[in-house]
Amino acid sequence: NRFMPATATFAMVASAAMAGVPLLNGFLSKEMFFAETLETHADSYLDVILPYVATLAGVFSVVYSLRFIHDVFFNGEPINLPKYPPHEPPRYMKIPVEILVFLCLLVGMLPAYTVAPLLAVAAKASLGGVLPEYSLAIWHGFNLPLAMSCVALVGGILVYVGRQPLFRWYAGLPEVDARMIFERQVQNLVRLATWLTGRLENGSLQRYLSFLLIAALVLVASALAPLPQEPLLHARALHA
């Protein structure tokens, strides 16, 4: 922090936006996301657990934002650097970061005058008609999305404060070489692709044309088939 004060300030504002701190753009997007998870779409168990999963994801977004700021700027003297001491980047390298941080503040505090018109134009072009009702504002009152945001912020801070027991628990788990597992799966995928390519590509033009004809017939059949939910919707309409 004392070596690169401007960079530390920009990083803290950007990380706070990523964590969903109020008066920053990330708070608006996260609150809208939380509000959407509370909507019931299919009356399934996913609609029940989705708000809890989203809140947990919000907790972890606060945790990794805090860890980034603390470990980079407030965790003692820098070590193992190729050049010491670290210093601020040149002026023209800071301009893009300054613009983005300024937009985080501007959109977070004045969403109706900054991003709302652009959002309306983009949404109208995507939907091709009248936009559904929505509200883009800093304050929507005391509601569930606001409570979920508060739980995510407080929960993330508590998890980060109590991170040392979690680190010790993680260190006690059996060691797993994730890189080896990934490379093994990639090798298995390559073997499968090689085997499948050898089975399909044998130089026979008749076989290629047969595959193309079968794929075309499947697509045509699927396009002509009636939608499976139409009888169900018709039955619900008659019942209503």
Side-chain angles (χ1 to χ4, degrees):
N1 186 23
R2 66 185 178 89
F3 293 107
M4 305 171 65
T7 301
T9 302
F10 296 148
M12 284 188 284
V13 175
S15 298
M18 186 168 55
V21 175
L23 298 183
L24 295 171
N25 65 323
F27 172 75
L28 297 176
S29 59
K30 186 171 289 187
E31 191 178 44
M32 294 174 69
F33 173 69
F34 286 156
E36 184 63 24
T37 62
L38 294 170
E39 295 290 333
T40 302
H41 300 96
D43 296 329
S44 66
Y45 70 94
L46 291 177
D47 284 334
V48 177
I49 67 172
L50 190 57
Y52 299 98
V53 175
T55 306
L56 183 62
V59 169
F60 284 111
S61 70
V62 175
V63 172
Y64 62 66
S65 300
L66 287 173
R67 186 176 186 186
F68 165 68
I69 293 300
H70 177 262
D71 286 3
V72 174
F73 298 104
F74 298 96
N75 199 20
E77 293 290 324
I79 57 175
N80 297 329
L81 295 180
K83 291 185 179 181
Y84 188 88
H87 58 82
E88 295 283 0
R91 183 71 187 92
Y92 289 104
M93 291 185 66
K94 291 194 293 186
I95 291 178
V97 180
E98 292 171 353
I99 293 174
L100 292 175
V101 169
F102 175 72
L103 290 177
C104 287
L105 293 166
L106 189 64
V107 172
M109 292 186 288
L110 299 171
Y113 301 100
T114 54
V115 74
L118 298 176
L119 179 63
V121 171
K124 190 172 183 180
S126 300
L127 297 177
V130 181
L131 296 179
E133 183 179 355
Y134 69 95
S135 175
L136 187 62
I138 300 175
W139 178 251
H140 294 98
F142 294 99
N143 50 21
L144 279 178
L146 178 62
M148 294 166 70
S149 297
C150 294
V151 170
L153 285 172
V154 176
I157 294 172
L158 294 177
V159 170
Y160 188 73
V161 170
R163 66 190 181 279
Q164 295 303 330
L166 295 175
F167 287 162
R168 289 193 293 268
W169 169 78
Y170 179 78
L173 294 176
E175 293 187 4
V176 177
D177 192 342
R179 180 178 178 181
M180 183 188 67
I181 295 175
F182 174 77
E183 291 179 351
R184 185 178 298 171
Q185 296 303 319
V186 170
Q187 292 174 0
N188 292 334
L189 186 61
V190 170
R191 293 192 191 96
L192 177 61
T194 303
W195 176 83
L196 187 61
T197 302
R199 294 291 181 179
L200 296 178
E201 296 185 3
N202 63 346
S204 173
L205 181 60
Q206 290 81 2
R207 173 175 288 194
Y208 299 157
L209 291 175
S210 300
F211 288 151
L212 182 61
L213 180 60
I214 292 173
L217 291 176
V218 170
L219 290 176
V220 171
S222 61
L224 296 178
L227 296 177
Q229 62 269 26
E230 287 181 354
L232 180 59
L233 293 176
H234 183 63
R236 288 183 177 178
L238 292 177
H239 180 70

